Amino acid sequence: MDKKIIEFKENNTPYSTEFGDIYFSVDDGMAETDHVFLKGNQLPHSWNGYKHIRICETGFGTGLNFFMAASLFEKTKKEGQKLFYTAIEKHPLKQEDISKSLEKWRDHFGDVFDIFLSKYPIRISGFHPIIIKPDIILVLIFDDIKDALPEIADKQDFWFLDGFAPAQNPDMWQDALYQNMSRLSHNQTRFATFTAAGMVKRGLESAGFEIEKVNGFGRKRDMLVGQFKSDQQRPKEKDARDEYKIAGAGLAGLTTGHLFTQLGAHIKIYDKNEHSAQNASSNKIGLISPRIGAERIAAYEYYNAAFALFNRENKEQLNQIGTLFEPDNETKILRFEKFKNNMNWPSECVEYKDKNILFTDAGTASPANLCAHYAQNLDVQFGQEIKEADIWATSYHQDFSAFDIQKIRGQVSYAIAKNHGLKHVHSYGAYVAPIDENHISFGATFTHWDDSEGVTEKDNTYNLEKLKLKHDDIKIEDGWAAFRCASKDRLPIIGPYEGRYINIAHGSHGMISSLAAAFILAYYEGLLPQPFGKTVLEAVSPQRYTKDK
């Protein structure tokens, strides 16, 4: 994603070097969006009866269409309405390029623009849900449209068919686009596009859309608008519950409660312990790191989307010192090389140092501080064990024998290492992380056969033997040991199961995974648009244990 894809012409008009075309009209980009996509879809009139307004845009570009739609929504919204906006972009711009492109309209877009820039995702492939406001949710999908659209499950109300003209961008305007539009539309779905090209008209008609050619904007004579014609009814909106009962006040439960409350839901959390941040949530310091993969399998997609999500939602909790990954065997050397060659991470967040990889946006966070942050203003009942809950965010209250999960003991060691000089977290099979300039955290053991309670000298010795740090005087002063719940496929278990929701088995990735899990559960309850692709949702679903039985 480091290829130069944008230049600025007169009046800071953005120009795509990839497609040889401008991103929006030189004359008046706002007026163009209003004419083509808003009035072309008969907005706001056409969305008046919708509780959740679902728009899908092909070609996010500078975000102009989104900001215009959000501005119109804020001016015309009715009580209880939400804007769910999904946009696909194969070549995401840098944050500063978006800011420069739209700076002259900043006052018109208001705080939506500033919030967006502050939460702009790491430019890696995949789904990136962004809560602009509780009633304005944006999901950016950085991917080729032929790969992105099949990952969307929900019917859309409006299509903004943008992207560059068919002559400049023929790969987008293919049968796969129209076929997926047909799959994702209902009998009230409308579309609008700036082009009137014959191939686009024929493609839309073949997919079941009724087409109308109308006046284009400015120098463009014609454009296309229309509506999907079928007997497919618009899906009913899911009614939120009056209250959600959550079992478990660790990271998983508190994160879910925090997000649901942020989105307007009422929750109560119950935990048998006397205070939060117990068990696997009680480590002094934890790692916030991405996953290095050789290909885009579900686990890679999930954990890196979760990493990016944590970065934009919890910046104040993240000590962003970077994590240096050092391969410790030939298999990892090969995987790191494939990651470097195939995954196309942008240079602003990754540096390649010989065989090592430094992720500059990674770092550490305190699980206890994170729990305290999430618990603010939540109704948490400690010392109470409940038998019935809407969301089970703990593996210790229920029998989850239907799932292939393990109880894994992990021990981390804390030591004095004066003036250790560590600038980053170092991960090399084991890891070492700075706590402050004179203290370090390192480990960790990973044993599913050990039921030992508390910190053991044996495991501290093991961690010390694995430690890669040149220092003459390391004194272990303490440690942390707890049991994690993990699945054998190393993915969490998130989703509906036997009339309730399950949110467990986050393993050693609890801080980032619990946040992604909260977004998934909020989606299932109709509080958010689809936050991650179908492949990821299926991979973490409890149904993966039951569908073949």
Side-chain angles (χ1 to χ4, degrees):
M1 294 194 180
D2 288 326
K3 181 180 178 182
K4 185 178 180 182
I5 58 176
I6 189 172
E7 292 179 351
F8 289 91
K9 302 297 185 181
E10 57 181 316
N11 299 321
N12 276 342
T13 300
Y15 173 87
S16 170
T17 58
E18 179 78 15
F19 298 105
D21 201 356
I22 53 176
Y23 278 86
F24 49 74
S25 170
V26 176
D27 298 325
D28 191 338
M30 281 178 55
E32 179 183 34
T33 291
D34 181 64
H35 178 85
V36 175
F37 297 109
L38 303 184
K39 288 186 170 65
N41 275 298
Q42 300 178 7
L43 301 177
H45 172 75
S46 291
W47 71 30
N48 280 343
Y50 298 158
K51 180 181 177 182
H52 296 159
I53 303 158
R54 300 178 187 274
I55 298 174
C56 188
E57 178 183 13
T58 60
F60 183 76
T62 63
L64 176 59
N65 297 336
F66 165 70
F67 294 118
M68 288 290 290
S71 179
L72 180 64
F73 172 76
E74 292 213 290
K75 292 173 184 174
T76 64
K77 66 183 178 182
K78 297 180 179 179
E79 186 177 355
Q81 273 192 316
K82 290 189 176 187
L83 176 62
F84 290 172
Y85 195 107
T86 300
I88 301 166
E89 178 55 59
K90 183 178 180 180
H91 303 286
L93 298 176
K94 293 182 177 180
Q95 180 205 54
E96 56 264 34
D97 290 331
I98 292 176
S99 180
K100 184 175 181 179
S101 298
L102 304 181
E103 178 63 34
K104 57 188 172 184
W105 298 310
R106 193 183 201 111
D107 291 343
H108 178 85
F109 300 142
D111 59 351
V112 169
F113 188 65
D114 295 324
I115 294 168
F116 167 83
L117 290 178
S118 72
K119 291 189 173 186
Y120 190 62
I122 298 171
R123 296 183 305 134
I124 58 174
S125 298
F127 280 58
H128 302 282
I130 306 169
I131 299 175
I132 303 295
K133 296 183 178 183
D135 58 359
I136 301 177
I137 318 295
L138 170 65
V139 179
L140 286 177
I141 308 174
F142 293 156
D143 218 332
D144 192 300
I145 197 161
K146 66 178 173 56
D147 298 317
L149 280 175
E151 290 292 323
I152 299 175
D154 292 342
K155 301 286 185 185
Q156 304 297 311
D157 299 314
F158 305 99
W159 291 95
F160 288 9
L161 295 183
D162 206 354
F164 296 96
Q168 279 79 31
N169 188 17
D171 289 346
M172 189 189 99
W173 303 92
Q174 297 295 320
D175 287 344
L177 168 63
Y178 312 121
Q179 291 165 5
N180 277 288
M181 285 178 64
S182 177
R183 177 180 64 84
L184 295 169
S185 297
H186 54 78
N187 62 4
Q188 299 174 63
T189 298
R190 299 193 60 82
F191 84 90
T193 182
F194 63 91
T195 183
M199 62 173 289
V200 175
K201 181 174 181 291
R202 290 187 295 273
L204 288 165
E205 285 177 333
S206 68
F209 286 86
E210 188 175 79
I211 309 296
E212 182 181 359
K213 187 181 288 187
V214 298
N215 291 334
F217 176 78
R219 302 166 196 171
K220 289 188 69 67
R221 187 176 64 182
D222 301 314
M223 57 177 262
L224 301 178
V225 300
Q227 185 170 340
F228 189 60
K229 293 300 180 183
S230 78
D231 57 2
Q232 182 69 245
Q233 298 292 311
R234 187 177 190 266
K236 291 183 179 180
E237 303 283 7
K238 188 175 179 67
D239 292 324
R241 310 180 198 197
D242 293 334
E243 183 180 84
Y244 294 89
K245 292 182 179 180
I246 300 175
L251 273 169
L254 292 173
T255 310
T256 301
H258 175 80
L259 179 65
F260 274 48
T261 300
Q262 182 182 355
L263 296 171
H266 299 284
I267 64 99
K268 282 188 178 180
I269 300 177
Y270 301 85
D271 197 290
K272 68 176 183 178
N273 295 303
E274 295 302 320
H275 53 84
S276 64
Q278 295 292 291
N279 301 316
S281 301
S282 59
N283 191 5
K284 183 182 294 186
I285 187 173
L287 307 188
I288 305 298
S289 298
R291 183 183 181 113
I292 298 176
E295 54 186 326
R296 290 180 60 184
I297 60 174
Y300 173 90
E301 296 286 305
Y302 174 75
Y303 284 117
N304 286 322
F307 168 72
L309 178 60
F310 189 95
N311 261 268
R312 59 184 178 272
E313 289 292 329
N314 286 310
K315 290 178 181 177
E316 71 285 353
Q317 298 292 328
L318 175 58
N319 182 21
Q320 204 169 57
I321 56 176
T323 297
L324 183 70
F325 283 86
E326 306 167 43
D328 59 324
N329 57 51
E330 290 298 321
T331 300
K332 287 185 180 179
I333 290 173
L334 180 60
R335 190 197 321 152
F336 282 29
E337 188 66 24
K338 288 183 176 179
F339 174 88
K340 177 181 178 180
N341 294 334
N342 301 337
M343 295 309 175
N344 205 22
W345 277 49
S347 61
E348 65 260 27
C349 63
V350 65
E351 297 176 16
Y352 298 101
K353 299 174 177 290
D354 192 20
K355 295 178 180 179
N356 302 332
I357 304 177
L358 173 65
F359 292 94
T360 55
D361 287 335
T364 63
S366 162
N369 290 346
L370 196 58
C371 283
H373 165 68
Y374 288 141
Q376 295 178 75
N377 305 315
L378 295 184
D379 183 357
V380 185
Q381 306 288 322
F382 289 109
Q384 293 194 35
E385 196 166 351
I386 60 173
K387 294 182 179 179
E388 298 294 333
D390 302 304
I391 301 170
W392 287 94
T394 172
S395 58
Y396 299 105
H397 292 34
Q398 290 278 297
D399 176 15
F400 291 130
S401 57
F403 307 133
D404 198 7
I405 58 177
Q406 297 176 313
K407 182 180 177 183
I408 298 172
R409 184 183 183 278
Q411 180 168 318
V412 173
S413 301
Y414 306 137
I416 299 172
K418 292 184 178 181
N419 301 313
H420 52 69
L422 284 173
K423 295 181 179 179
H424 314 294
V425 176
H426 288 251
S427 178
Y428 45 84
Y431 76 86
V432 56
I435 296 175
D436 56 38
E437 63 181 12
N438 294 316
H439 296 83
I440 58 174
S441 171
F442 57 99
T445 64
F446 187 88
T447 54
H448 57 81
W449 58 86
D450 189 347
D451 291 327
S452 302
E453 297 282 350
V455 175
T456 68
E457 185 177 343
K458 170 176 65 73
D459 280 358
N460 274 340
T461 300
Y462 174 86
N463 287 338
L464 193 59
E465 290 172 350
K466 292 287 185 180
L467 177 62
K468 289 176 64 175
L469 178 64
K470 293 181 179 179
H471 197 286
D472 295 331
D473 188 19
I474 297 174
K475 296 178 181 177
I476 293 180
E477 59 176 357
D478 198 359
W480 168 87
F483 297 95
R484 302 187 185 103
C485 172
S487 66
K488 287 188 177 179
D489 63 8
R490 298 295 178 261
L491 281 166
I493 303 171
I494 311 161
Y497 179 73
E498 296 184 347
R500 55 190 169 160
Y501 289 111
I502 307 297
N503 181 5
I504 62 171
H506 295 284
S508 60
H509 304 282
M511 285 192 288
I512 64 170
S513 182
S514 58
L515 183 59
F519 272 69
I520 291 172
L521 296 182
Y523 162 61
Y524 286 136
E525 277 299 291
L527 301 172
L528 289 175
Q530 183 183 336
F532 305 111
K534 287 197 299 183
T535 299
V536 165
L537 297 180
E538 291 170 0
V540 301
S541 170
Q543 307 309 317
R544 72 188 191 262
Y545 295 104
T546 61
K547 63 184 179 180
D548 295 328
K549 293 182 180 179

